[in-house]
Amino acid sequence: MQALRSELAQQHSALGLIGAENPAELARCSRDFFEYSPVLVPLLEGRLAQLVARPTTTAEVMAVAGACARHGVPLTCRGAGTGNYGQCVPLSGGVVLDLSALNRLRQLDPISGVIEVEAGALMGDLERDLAPAGRALRLMPSTVRSATIGGFIAGGSGGIGSLRWGFLRDPGNLLGLEVVTVEPEPRLLRLDAAGSEALNHAYGSNGILTALRLPSCDAIDWVQIVVGFGDWEQALAAAQLLLRSALELNSLCVLEDEAAAAMPWPAGCSDPVGEHRLLLLAAPAALETLPGLMQSLGGQLLWQEPQSTSKGIPLRELGWNHTTLHWRSQQKRETWTYLQLLLPQPEGPCLAALRHRWGEALVWHLEGVRNQGAGRLAALPLVHWQGREQLEQLIADCRELGAFLFNPHVLSVEDGGLGVVDADQVAAKAAYDPAGLLNPGKLRGWLERG
Ligand SMILES: Cc1cc2nc3c(=O)[nH]c(=O)nc-3n(C[C@H](O)[C@H](O)[C@H](O)COP(=O)(O)OP(=O)(O)OC[C@H]3O[C@@H](n4cnc5c(N)ncnc54)[C@H](O)[C@@H]3O)c2cc1C
């Protein structure tokens, strides 16, 4: 490691190398939000990089990649470190490559709206840069203010906008990548949409993303809407109806009364008084229909405010894993975790059975998504942690009832997703990281190859 550090320090003084002289920064750059999973904590706590490098150019990225390949040192990419499953934790130590200073919006095509952006750009900054041209990102996590676009593509899955645009891995959401390989003489490749697929959601285990080509969409000043329901079944029915409606919605979130009570509501939106809440981001035209429709379904419109003028926390920071964040901040953190499910259709019987079997151990949080072209409900229930056995039983129950699990309590790309090895991801690793130095331990297919 010392030889690698000396080599990089001599040739690239701007890399801002951090090593053992700054243990606090090494520790900060070696972790993410894995503490949401009591299963992952013992596996990841204390895993540390020996060196952090912060390149500002692709040439510097290539220098670090080449040095790691020549010295046989593991290399783990890092965006903002907001992942939930320890995706950017360096299991085998080595170098953490912090890409946050590689952050320029290189291009916005005025006709197609296609953007080319460097991987370390913060999504919140991108949003601001696109707004004057009337454009916006299609998909963003609820961490949009703090996460990088490269980290979202490599480690995220969807979020705000998934109701319209599906998930990141759906064809059309990623148009191309610029990638640095990890070899003694690294290559800078430009991959088209098909070539990029294997690197999309691979936890940076098969290539260093330096820039991305993405479609943008028309910017809409979404109206934040909160609807209250006294009855859970009515709230669920309203969500189901909205998924099938022609109303233009960018997100739909349902919070059970207990979860709603724990959220920090935007300025002007009253705190709940025992009701379940439906949170919507709706296009202005939807306002002509929504209040009457919600009333006819037993709901009461409690608050509305355009996102652009609203004060305090935006509604989009109460959904997705921000629900988990706010909930845990109100509880004894180590006693609550969560799950991520795609519910079977119709959702009612599965939800009713889980509510019956698990009672107060689960607090319900639903999100509307588009899956293979159809409106579906995902669930991110808050789960009272009663030990690993109970969690395994809960997971088994969810599967038995037809829910599809995106398991947030596992380390590998495969186990957190479809459960099966993607041969293309493994082939891309063989081609772009032949010595297996990138984020070791995260691609199960690489570890199991014959
Ligand atoms: C409160 C909270 C809410 C969240 N909400 C959502 C949500 O709505 N939707 C969602 O999908 N996720 C969500 N997440 C997870 C996380 O925020 C997203 O995945 C986010 O996009 C990660 O971005 P990041 O820059 O922090 O990436 P990091 O955490 O730094 O990295 C994520 C993964 O990408 C890899 N990586 C990073 N940059 C590169 C690069 N340039 N090249 C190659 N690999 C790279 C890392 O090695 C790691 O494997 C949430 C997390 C929290 C804590």
Side-chain angles (χ1 to χ4, degrees):
M1 180 57 70
Q2 200 44 50
L4 178 144
R5 182 173 185 168
S6 308
E7 182 184 320
L8 285 174
Q10 272 168 21
Q11 293 166 11
H12 298 278
S13 54
L15 267 174
L17 298 175
I18 296 161
E21 73 285 356
N22 192 342
E25 188 61 2
L26 272 189
R28 191 189 67 79
C29 293
S30 300
R31 59 182 301 131
D32 63 10
F33 283 75
F34 63 78
E35 75 260 16
Y36 290 13
S37 165
V39 178
L40 292 181
V41 169
L43 302 177
L44 295 174
E45 204 65 76
R47 306 281 188 144
L48 281 181
Q50 278 102 39
L51 192 67
V52 175
R54 198 163 284 145
T56 53
T57 63
T58 48
E60 287 172 357
V61 173
M62 292 171 83
V64 177
C68 284
R70 286 190 298 279
H71 292 270
V73 170
L75 172 55
T76 303
C77 295
R78 178 182 177 87
T82 66
N84 285 124
Y85 330 133
Q87 288 109 310
C88 69
V89 175
L91 290 181
S92 309
V95 172
V96 160
L97 187 68
D98 174 345
L99 287 131
S100 59
L102 198 71
N103 55 16
R104 280 181 317 126
L105 174 59
R106 289 182 182 168
Q107 200 183 14
L108 162 60
D109 185 308
I111 308 292
S112 65
V114 170
I115 62 170
E116 180 164 325
V117 59
E118 290 179 346
L122 287 183
M123 298 180 75
D125 291 347
L126 250 181
E127 219 186 2
R128 264 195 308 279
D129 292 346
L130 295 178
R135 308 299 299 172
L137 291 168
R138 283 182 173 187
L139 292 165
M140 49 187 107
S142 58
T143 46
V144 49
R145 282 202 278 180
S146 51
T148 66
I149 188 72
F152 186 44
I153 295 291
S157 52
I160 299 137
S162 279
L163 193 51
R164 301 167 82 205
W165 303 104
F167 291 92
L168 282 173
R169 290 206 79 183
D170 291 349
N173 280 330
L174 175 63
L175 304 179
L177 290 173
E178 183 185 86
V179 177
V180 169
T181 63
V182 180
E183 299 172 288
E185 298 298 328
R187 291 170 288 155
L188 182 66
L189 306 174
R190 286 187 73 85
L191 306 179
D192 62 10
S196 301
E197 262 177 48
L199 289 83
N200 189 345
H201 199 73
Y203 295 2
S205 64
N206 53 11
I208 303 172
L209 318 183
T210 47
L212 307 91
R213 290 188 74 244
L214 302 162
S216 63
C217 60
D218 286 333
I220 294 177
D221 188 9
W222 299 105
V223 185
Q224 309 174 104
I225 295 171
V226 176
V227 186
F229 289 87
D231 180 79
W232 172 255
E233 299 302 332
Q234 285 181 333
L236 177 62
Q240 288 168 322
L241 184 134
L242 287 172
L243 289 178
R244 296 192 304 272
S245 78
L247 295 170
E248 196 171 2
L249 301 175
N250 204 35
S251 78
L252 174 163
C253 167
V254 188
L255 298 178
E256 196 178 3
D257 49 4
E258 265 190 274
M263 296 300 119
W265 293 93
C269 178
S270 59
D271 285 334
V273 278
E275 74 275 12
H276 312 290
R277 285 192 165 185
L278 173 64
L279 286 55
L280 301 171
L281 292 184
L287 288 177
E288 298 198 14
T289 320
L290 260 171
L293 188 62
M294 291 298 101
Q295 202 172 17
S296 72
L297 295 167
Q300 191 193 352
L301 198 147
L302 300 171
W303 180 76
Q304 68 178 68
E305 184 84 46
Q307 191 166 272
S308 61
T309 53
S310 155
K311 301 267 184 306
I313 198 160
L315 213 54
R316 67 186 186 181
E317 289 181 20
L318 300 191
W320 292 93
N321 247 320
H322 268 78
T323 310
T324 319
L325 178 146
H326 298 306
W327 175 261
R328 280 170 44 93
S329 74
Q330 301 282 312
Q331 317 289 328
K332 263 176 95 184
R333 285 166 200 265
E334 65 280 7
T335 59
W336 284 89
T337 183
Y338 73 114
L339 274 188
Q340 303 177 139
L341 311 165
L342 184 64
L343 295 173
Q345 286 185 307
E347 295 86 359
C350 171
L351 278 175
L354 287 171
R355 283 164 68 82
H356 178 70
R357 282 185 210 175
W358 288 87
E360 291 179 356
L362 299 180
V363 176
W364 285 97
H365 161 205
L366 311 179
E367 294 284 346
V369 297
R370 183 152 302 274
N371 180 246
Q372 299 185 342
R376 298 281 297 265
L377 282 176
L380 288 84
L382 302 155
V383 177
H384 190 209
W385 172 247
Q386 294 162 306
R388 188 141 186 186
E389 239 174 74
Q390 279 85 349
L391 184 69
E392 293 301 334
Q393 183 57 53
L394 171 62
I395 288 174
D397 282 4
C398 292
R399 287 190 168 134
E400 181 208 315
L401 291 162
F404 190 89
L405 185 82
F406 295 92
N407 193 346
H409 303 286
V410 291
L411 282 180
S412 77
V413 174
E414 293 90 340
D415 296 327
L418 298 179
V420 292
V421 168
D422 177 341
D424 291 341
Q425 286 185 332
V426 181
K429 188 165 176 77
Y432 308 144
D433 174 32
L437 294 172
L438 274 175
N439 210 355
K442 303 287 173 58
L443 196 64
R444 179 158 59 78
W446 178 259
L447 303 173
E448 291 173 352
R449 75 198 186 286

